Structure formats: C-alpha cells, structure tokens
Amino acid sequence: MVFERNIIVTGGAGFIGSHVVRRLVSRYPHYRIINLDLLTYAGNLENLADIESSDNYVFEKVDICDAKEVGRVFDQYDADSIIHLAAESHVDRSILDPLAFINTNVVGTANLLQCARMAWGENLEGKRFYHVSTDEVYGSLGDEGFFTEETSYDPKSPYSASKASSDHLVRAFGHTYGLPVVISNCSNNYGPHQFPEKLIPLFISNIVEKKPLPVYGKGENVRDWLYVEDHAEAIDLIFHEGKMGETYNIGGENEWSNIALIKVLCTQMDQKLGRSAGESNALITYVKDRAGHDFRYAIDCAKIKDALGWSPSMTFEEGLAKTIDWYLSNPEWIERVRTGAYQAYYEQQYTHR
Ligand code: NAD
Ligand code: DAU
C-alpha cells in the first residue's frame, strides 16, 4: 500500500505520544505512523494495544541519539514528517540525573534534526519537523501574567534547560538550513496512561493504597492543567495547519494551586472509593520543597485559538473524573509499569524528605 504521508512519531509509547499515535492512526488510515521509541522506563507499548495491529502503524525500538538507526528508519519508510515527543520528561529526575536529560533532550533532538536534513536533502516540499515542547522553557511567573510566544526563555531546571536547548536547535536548523520546523509549548497534561511519578497519577495511586501524599513545600505552586486528548488534538491541528517557522503555545486556561487541586482529587477519590469524607485529605503530608521549584506557569493561548481555531474542550471536573476512573479500572497497568527501576527511583526521591 502506498501511503499519502509517512510520519515518524518519536516517544509514541509514552504518555502524550501514545494519545497522539492513537489519534493519527485512527483518523488518518491513509497515513503510515511510525512509532520510534526506545522504551525507557516511561515507554509502554501496552498504551497502544488497541491500535497495534492496524495496517498503517509500525513500531521501531530505536534510540533518538543513534544516528545510524534513525537514518535507517527515515530511509526505510521514506519518512516525510516527524512529530518529536521523545524526551526525559520528569523534573525531579532531572534534578537527580541532569546529564541523562542533556543526552536525550539535547543530543537526541540534534541528532533527529541532522538525520532529517540528511534524509530530505534539498527536497523540502511537503516535509515537516514538528517539535513538541513545554511551557517550562519560559521560566516561572509570579501571581500575575501569562507566557506568550514572545516571552523570553528563562529555564530554571535541568529538564526545562534541556528542552529550551532543543527548541533553540530546532529554530537554528530552520533558520540556517531552511528545514521546515514548527514548535509548540504546552502546559501540564493529565489523563490516562500517565506514568505514576507525575503529581496526579502518583497521588491517585497513593490514595488507593492509603500512602502519604507528598506535597512539596507549602503546596502553593500553580500549574495550568490540560486534558491529554486536547493536547493531541492541538498537535494534530498544528501538524496539518500550523505555519512552518512558527511557535504555538497550548494551555488549558485552568490554573490550580497544587494544594487546591489535591483537595479536589481527595474529595473525588473518597466518593469513588466509598470512603468517608476527609479520609484522603488526612494523607496529605508536607515534605521538603523541590529544588528550584518554579512557582507558577500560565499560558496565553490566544494565538492557536485565533490562528487555528483550537481551544480546550474538556472541563477539569470531567477530565479529572475520567482520569480517576481510568486508573481505578486499570490497577494492573500501574502494577506493571512499576518496575524495579521505578521502585528504586521512588525510594531515592521520597525517603529522605
Ligand atoms: P513520557 O516520559 O511519558 O514519555 C517519553 C517517551 O519517550 C517514552 O515512551 C520513552 O520511552 C521515550 N524516550 C525517552 N528517551 C528516548 C530515546 N533516547 N529514544 C527514543 N525514545 C525515548 O513523556 P510525556 O509526558 O508523554 O511527554 C512527551 C513530550 O511532551 C516531551 O517532549 C515533553 O517534554 C513534552 N511535554 C510534556 C508535558 C506533560 O505535562 N507531560 C507538557 C508539555 C510538554
Ligand atoms: O508544564 C509542563 C510540564 O509539566 C512538562 O513539561 C513536564 O514534562 C511535566 O512533568 C510537568 O512538570 P511539573 O513539574 O509541573 O509536573 P509534576 O507532575 O512533576 O508536578 C506538578 C506540581 O506538583 C509541581 O508544582 C510539583 C508538585 N509535586 C509533584 C510531585 C511529583 C508535589 O507537590 N509532589 C509530588 O510528589
């Protein structure tokens, strides 16, 4: 079968990547989707069990830092596009092991850019290099204001600095070599299949197990939360209709202090688990703050709304309920992703707080 497009999605076995792959495979049977993922601790092919036998889906276990293998995938599938999500993505891990983030997020992205150049040569018609990034590159806000596409970069953690570096490399390859690049920077995602090291899934599983809920500092830090399928929809739209060379901010217009969010989560969990009101609240435990903890992220997403007609569609109440229901219905998923490596990380991260 000849496909209209051959799209490499890196990190397709991860949280957001798996929602992107599912969406593209299901909506565009005339596209071939090549999921390129190393399957680190965060990659899980079970996330894609429902679409893995589709004719327009292939999986390649490849490290984005491996030039030979990435080049082979470009050539073998005649790839015309790449949607790049593969990354080390957890801030706390970047504080424990920054060089792993430099390697994957900076060197890996540079390698993909170089491989795209080599594969595509002068023939850039219809080609696309879409880099999926984070709002954390802009740094930290006080009580007021929003990040726009014009906000200067001011990353503060090894994770955000590595993502900022990768964004700069993508723009540099666009500017210098004319590579058709586009970037989006999104706020905090939540939803099914998120690895239980991030706030919402970690706290859901700790509540189920009646384990302490480790709130960093005073719990006053603010995040903007977007349901993962809304992000996947925005990525689909930017891939198809975004202007090459542009940046789009994506946000949920849904800001919560951590402690307020955690209290809502506790209330919903008590109701769903048939526990008495306040039972999960009692698990809240204030622990030592994250080093260099960014205070607030908030996105002005007027550009993507005006230019592409996107806006978040899921309310937080509904999205959180769907997320909790998914985790409660899939305890074996959590059990299986909690490998020995994850247990060791959990011990290191939380034992001395
Ligand atoms: P994740 O940690 O759940 O998944 C990352 C995926 O990348 C995994 O499947 C992993 O196996 C793969 N991977 C890691 N190193 C690799 C390598 N060297 N080669 C090939 N594959 C490798 O991440 P996520 O939360 O789904 O985030 C995906 C992307 O979106 C990241 O680039 C992240 O910076 C960005 N982002 C995430 C959020 C969020 O809230 N999670 C928000 C904005 C942007
Ligand atoms: O803003 C986008 C970013 O959001 C993405 O680029 C990252 O990949 C993603 O991990 C996320 O980063 P955060 O650091 O904001 O997410 P995390 O879930 O780790 O933490 C959310 C907030 O909750 C943050 O203020 C730290 C706090 N927290 C987190 C954990 C894991 C706690 O208080 N206790 C915890 O145990």
Side-chain angles (χ1 to χ4, degrees):
M1 179 167 175
V2 177
F3 292 95
E4 196 180 298
R5 299 202 78 106
N6 290 293
I7 307 169
I8 298 173
V9 178
T10 72
F15 167 49
I16 302 170
S18 61
H19 288 273
V20 171
V21 166
R22 176 175 303 98
R23 182 181 174 94
L24 298 179
V25 166
S26 321
R27 286 173 70 97
Y28 306 106
H30 49 295
Y31 293 176
R32 178 163 56 185
I33 307 302
I34 304 114
N35 176 7
L36 188 157
D37 197 302
L38 183 59
L39 301 183
T40 67
Y41 80 93
N44 183 352
L45 286 179
E46 283 184 29
N47 295 350
L48 292 166
D50 53 330
I51 57 98
E52 68 185 358
S53 54
S54 306
D55 291 339
N56 64 333
Y57 171 75
V58 236
F59 173 68
E60 286 280 356
K61 184 173 186 304
V62 168
D63 184 344
I64 58 167
C65 298
D66 183 337
K68 198 160 157 242
E69 272 294 277
V70 172
R72 190 232 350 126
V73 172
F74 264 97
D75 292 346
Q76 182 172 333
Y77 299 101
D78 198 16
D80 51 69
S81 310
I82 178 160
I83 305 178
H84 174 37
L85 295 107
E88 289 292 340
S89 69
H90 189 38
V91 174
D92 292 322
R93 286 184 191 259
S94 83
I95 295 166
L96 296 172
D97 183 10
L99 294 190
F101 284 66
I102 306 305
N103 192 43
T104 298
N105 300 355
V106 184
V107 178
T109 302
N111 186 51
L112 292 174
L113 287 160
Q114 185 69 353
C115 288
R117 272 188 72 213
M118 295 300 125
W120 296 340
E122 300 295 307
N123 178 17
L124 296 173
E125 186 64 33
K127 307 293 194 294
R128 273 174 174 61
F129 192 110
Y130 178 2
H131 178 58
V132 175
S133 193
T134 171
D135 60 357
E136 299 197 15
V137 298
Y138 298 121
S140 178
L141 292 165
D143 288 323
E144 304 287 322
F146 296 90
F147 298 134
T148 73
E149 288 80 0
E150 272 70 51
T151 304
S152 301
Y153 275 31
D154 189 17
K156 308 254 188 230
S157 74
Y159 163 69
S160 54
S162 70
K163 291 295 291 187
S165 309
S166 63
D167 292 10
H168 288 318
L169 283 165
V170 171
R171 290 197 183 95
F173 271 65
H175 181 78
T176 307
Y177 305 112
L179 207 67
V181 299
V182 62
I183 300 179
S184 59
N185 297 81
C186 187
S187 59
N188 288 57
N189 284 214
Y190 71 100
H193 294 128
Q194 187 169 30
F195 195 85
E197 63 187 354
K198 307 278 168 68
L199 181 75
I200 291 180
L202 177 69
F203 279 34
I204 291 175
S205 38
N206 281 14
I207 290 171
V208 170
E209 293 171 33
K210 298 191 178 177
K211 279 166 63 175
L213 305 177
V215 179
Y216 297 164
K218 294 183 180 157
E220 288 169 352
N221 304 65
V222 175
R223 297 291 182 266
D224 168 51
W225 294 93
L226 178 70
Y227 192 66
V228 62
E229 286 179 7
D230 279 338
H231 190 188
E233 183 192 28
I235 289 173
D236 182 349
L237 202 58
I238 291 168
F239 175 76
H240 284 100
E241 293 175 29
K243 206 166 147 212
M244 291 303 112
E246 293 284 321
T247 298
Y248 297 89
N249 280 355
I250 308 170
E253 301 184 316
N254 177 40
E255 287 183 53
W256 289 83
S257 72
N258 291 339
I259 194 64
L261 185 155
I262 290 159
K263 287 183 175 165
V264 169
L265 182 66
C266 286
T267 304
Q268 284 208 16
M269 290 290 290
D270 283 342
Q271 285 164 1
K272 286 182 189 286
L273 293 168
R275 292 184 184 166
S276 51
E279 206 176 321
S280 299
N281 259 313
L283 299 170
I284 291 175
T285 309
Y286 291 92
V287 298
K288 190 170 158 224
D289 208 354
R290 173 184 278 173
H293 197 171
D294 287 341
F295 175 63
R296 173 171 166 258
Y297 307 138
I299 285 272
D300 176 345
C301 54
K303 179 173 173 180
I304 185 172
K305 283 173 138 180
D306 294 346
L308 304 181
W310 176 89
S311 58
S313 63
M314 182 71 78
T315 64
F316 192 54
E317 199 184 5
E318 196 187 337
L320 194 60
K322 274 177 90 120
T323 304
I324 295 171
D325 288 344
W326 187 84
Y327 281 97
L328 293 182
S329 311
N330 291 280
E332 71 294 342
W333 183 91
I334 297 193
E335 217 31 64
R336 280 202 287 274
V337 297
R338 285 180 154 175
T339 60
Y342 175 65
Q343 297 292 3
Y345 160 78
Y346 195 82
E347 287 294 308
Q348 187 179 5
Q349 176 66 13
Y350 293 103
T351 305
H352 305 296
R353 278 182 178 267

